[in-house]
Amino acid sequence: MEIQVLPLAAKKPGIVDESKLAFGTQFTDRMFLMEFEAGRGWHSARILPYGPFTLDPACAVLHYAQEIFEGLKAFRRPDGSVALFRPMDNVRRFNRSASRMCMPEVDEEFFLGALKQLVKLEADWVPRSEGTSLYVRPTMIATDPFLGVRPSKTYYCYIILSPVGAYYKGGFSPVKIWIADEFVRSAPGGTGEAKTGGNYAASLRASMEATEKGFDQVLWLDAVHRKYVEEVGSMNICFLYDGKIVTSPLKGTILDGITRRSILDLARDLGYQIEERALSVDEIIDGAQSGRLKEAFGTGTAVVVSAVGQFTYRDRTVVLGDGKPGELTQKLYDTLTGIQYGRIPDKHGWVQTI
């Protein structure tokens, strides 16, 4: 399948002030789109001007939430080139999500090539300031105009791009976490490991309540026992506990984070032992009070690493550190962003320059 590149009638004004870039509010001139039809497969791949879709009101995605997406970034390097961070890992996870949601998989090499071609065409939209990047959002939606609970027979698969600013506008400061025991993010046998919109919609109520209580994020506990840590917000979470890195195991209820994988590899490089096990909420509270828990941090594409400064569970609050990110947390953040932006050599082969 060839990719047709359609002409632009006019270009957008572009980035006016990189210091004012927000997250996900501005989009580039072009997008990628291809379509799927049962019996025909993927077809009509093209890069076209960014714009809205026309969808039937009975479209399956609008009624049954058959949808998946990914998120990765393109970075401006010191020499002016543009690089992607572990893009094939995102494409492979996209296919795993598609399989879980009964959607057609994409040809991984073709899809990665399409993504690179789009980013290369839109390279002028990759900002240059410290901490900024071009956010890449591959998405697939079910398009059958049919009211009935079954997998769709037709789909749109598209990629859009958005220049984004530095996540930490006010500096890299630890966040306050509310541990929720009433709400759960996902359950065994559910869609927790798939990157699908319904998971995020289900998290909104708890996130809203956390904000109202003065917290920055929600820490999710398991659905069975309501005591073991799973994720924080939409991020994976790690703990420096008894001198080891402890993080929740991948058992189908949490996302296999690409930033998580990278951070764990970097921690191993520093000589830390990784322990993937279920950490209980009691271990967090007691560990913070006894000093066994030294640091905690979330990991994700948007934030990279988010330092935790406080946990609150019911009527108990514990504080970590002295109001600044822990030494390990800061080291991992600086190292990973250094690799992404080309300030530190990429010994793992994670970066692909386009």
Side-chain angles (χ1 to χ4, degrees):
M1 183 168 52
E2 294 185 358
I3 299 174
Q4 183 181 11
V5 180
L6 303 181
L8 282 174
K11 298 192 74 172
K12 297 179 181 179
I15 303 170
V16 177
D17 184 349
E18 290 189 0
S19 68
K20 296 181 179 179
L21 281 174
F23 191 93
T25 59
Q26 186 176 6
F27 299 93
T28 68
D29 292 303
R30 299 174 176 88
M31 59 189 286
F32 169 82
L33 173 65
M34 63 180 179
E35 301 169 50
F36 181 91
E37 183 180 346
R40 182 180 178 186
W42 291 107
H43 64 90
S44 304
R46 65 243 192 226
I47 292 175
L48 68 165
Y50 182 97
F53 296 130
T54 299
L55 297 174
D56 193 287
C59 186
V61 67
L62 303 177
H63 297 269
Y64 307 109
Q66 198 184 12
E67 179 267 1
I68 61 170
F69 66 94
E70 267 300 325
L72 63 154
K73 289 178 177 178
F75 302 90
R76 182 72 65 179
R77 313 284 278 182
D79 63 359
S81 63
V82 175
L84 295 165
F85 183 73
R86 304 188 71 167
M88 182 55 87
D89 293 275
N90 288 94
V91 173
R92 289 168 180 157
R93 190 172 64 182
F94 190 71
N95 269 345
R96 293 198 300 274
S97 294
S99 177
R100 177 62 182 86
M101 301 302 291
C102 300
M103 305 172 82
E105 295 185 15
V106 299
D107 179 279
E108 293 175 352
E109 293 293 341
F110 172 82
F111 197 56
L112 179 57
L115 189 155
K116 289 180 176 180
Q117 184 176 353
L118 176 64
V119 172
K120 190 171 184 178
L121 283 169
E122 300 291 77
D124 288 345
W125 284 92
V126 183
R128 299 175 181 273
S129 303
E130 177 70 22
T132 62
S133 58
L134 184 69
Y135 186 77
V136 183
R137 173 52 63 91
T139 308
M140 191 191 305
I141 61 173
T143 55
D144 268 10
F146 174 79
L147 298 181
V149 184
R150 62 155 174 79
S152 180
K153 296 179 181 179
T154 59
Y155 298 87
Y156 282 174
C157 181
Y158 60 95
I159 304 171
I160 56 176
L161 309 174
S162 175
V164 297
Y167 192 90
Y168 296 110
K169 294 292 187 181
F172 186 40
S173 302
V175 297
K176 296 190 296 183
I177 303 296
W178 176 50
I179 302 177
D181 59 359
E182 177 183 356
F183 302 102
V184 296
R185 177 187 170 274
S186 63
T191 60
E193 66 180 347
K195 204 162 178 63
T196 182
N199 292 340
Y200 296 80
S203 74
L204 295 177
R205 178 63 182 272
S207 298
M208 183 180 69
E209 290 196 13
T211 300
E212 290 172 351
K213 295 174 186 289
F215 297 98
D216 301 299
Q217 290 283 3
V218 175
L219 188 145
W220 304 100
L221 300 178
D222 74 291
V224 178
H225 305 285
R226 303 291 179 94
K227 65 180 290 188
Y228 295 109
V229 171
E230 296 224 316
E231 290 192 349
V232 58
S234 57
M235 299 178 289
N236 300 118
I237 186 166
C238 300
F239 302 87
L240 178 57
Y241 202 96
D242 287 339
K244 305 173 184 176
I245 304 295
V246 180
T247 191
S248 304
L250 302 177
K251 293 186 176 180
T253 56
I254 68 172
L255 191 68
D256 180 6
I258 293 161
T259 306
R260 172 188 183 274
R261 291 188 219 165
S262 306
I263 287 295
L264 294 182
D265 284 342
L266 293 178
R268 290 186 185 96
D269 291 346
L270 294 172
Y272 285 91
Q273 181 180 340
I274 309 301
E275 194 171 296
E276 295 188 61
R277 67 172 179 85
L279 190 78
S280 72
V281 67
D282 291 331
E283 286 182 282
I284 292 175
I285 302 299
D286 295 342
Q289 292 176 335
S290 68
R292 296 176 66 189
L293 174 58
K294 299 293 187 183
E295 300 179 34
F297 51 89
T299 65
T301 298
V303 70
V304 186
V305 175
S306 178
V308 176
Q310 174 184 309
F311 289 104
T312 295
Y313 178 60
R314 296 178 180 172
D315 60 349
R316 303 174 69 186
T317 295
V318 292
V319 176
L320 297 178
D322 57 0
K324 299 178 181 179
E327 182 179 350
L328 175 62
T329 302
Q330 187 72 58
K331 175 69 172 177
L332 292 171
Y333 174 80
D334 290 343
T335 303
L336 187 53
T337 54
I339 293 170
Q340 291 172 334
Y341 286 96
R343 297 187 298 268
I344 295 175
D346 174 22
K347 298 178 181 178
H348 294 271
W350 290 334
V351 173
Q352 293 188 25
T353 304
I354 58 174

